């Protein structure tokens, strides 16, 4: 199997870098208005949300702090394994804070459901959830999402932080992963 067989090949662009930038600017403005006068804490979900979190954090241009949390929900493949695991915890207390969770994509909803439950036990003042991509058709767990970048069809996508087997996070556009050919 060649290198592309292992990591997959990004194919058709689903959302261009220009569309992403325009939508992130809009989301930033909305969050800026909604949190005016407050000092929210953005919590980016590692690793997929790092690119989105960095852009949104700047677009919101609020007196805000930024922290990260790591969760793992996937094995090596393209489907969730079903269980969610905490791989890295926050570096600060969220007690009394207005928390905005920044996630790259909601698929079944398990990861975000786990995160919401986990953070709620730490007594924040409020929790909101902002996701860049929402695969609406695949939802299994009903979780409230406060801010959504784009609703997308059930296709495996890479780029702008999203990976396949650790690769393609550094693509500027969001592309559909091409199916690998049978050996
Ligand atoms: P959920 O727990 O099923 O909602 O899965 C959410 C996690 O699955 C995300 O944080 C991603 O890491 C991963 N994921 C789901 N769909 C995709 C995709 O199309 N591309 C890359 N990662 C994905």
């Amino acid at each position: 199997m060649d290198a592309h067989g292992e990591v997959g090949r990004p194919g058709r662009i689903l959302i261009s870098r220009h569309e992403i930038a325009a939508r992130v600017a809009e989301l930033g403005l909305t969050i800026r208005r909604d949190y005016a006068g407050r000092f929210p804490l953005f919590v980016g979900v590692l690793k997929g949300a790092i690119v989105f979190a960095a852009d949104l954090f700047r677009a919101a241009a609020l007196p805000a702090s930024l922290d990260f949390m790591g969760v793992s929900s996937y094995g090596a493949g393209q489907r969730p394994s079903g269980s969610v695991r905490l791989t890295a915890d926050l570096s600060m207390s969220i007690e009394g804070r207005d928390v905005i969770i920044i996630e790259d994509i909601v698929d079944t909803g398990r990861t975000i459901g786990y995160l919401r439950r986990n953070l709620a036990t730490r007594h924040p003042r409020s929790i909101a959830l902002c996701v860049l991509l929402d695969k609406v058709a695949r939802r299994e767990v009903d979780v409230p999402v406060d801010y959504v970048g784009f609703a997308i069809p059930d296709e495996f996508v890479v780029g702008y932080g999203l990976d396949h087997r650790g690769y393609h996070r550094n693509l500027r556009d969001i592309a559909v992963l091409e199916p690998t050919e049978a050996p």
Side-chain angles (χ1 to χ4, degrees), residues 112-155:
I112 231 51
Y114 168 86
L115 274 173
R116 256 190 186 274
R117 279 196 308 280
N118 183 301
L119 294 184
T121 63
R122 306 180 193 201
H123 310 293
R125 182 160 174 252
S126 65
I127 301 182
L129 173 61
C130 177
V131 299
L132 181 65
L133 307 176
D134 188 352
K135 277 190 195 172
V136 189
R138 296 212 359 111
R139 192 76 82 263
E140 289 171 18
V141 179
D142 190 25
V143 275
V145 183
D146 304 274
Y147 305 97
V148 179
F150 304 90
I152 63 164
D154 181 15
E155 291 186 286

Side-chain angles (χ1 to χ4, degrees), residues 103-115:
E103 176 61 307
D104 54 356
I105 187 164
V106 192
D107 187 15
T108 63
R110 285 185 203 289
T111 306
I112 231 51
Y114 168 86
L115 274 173

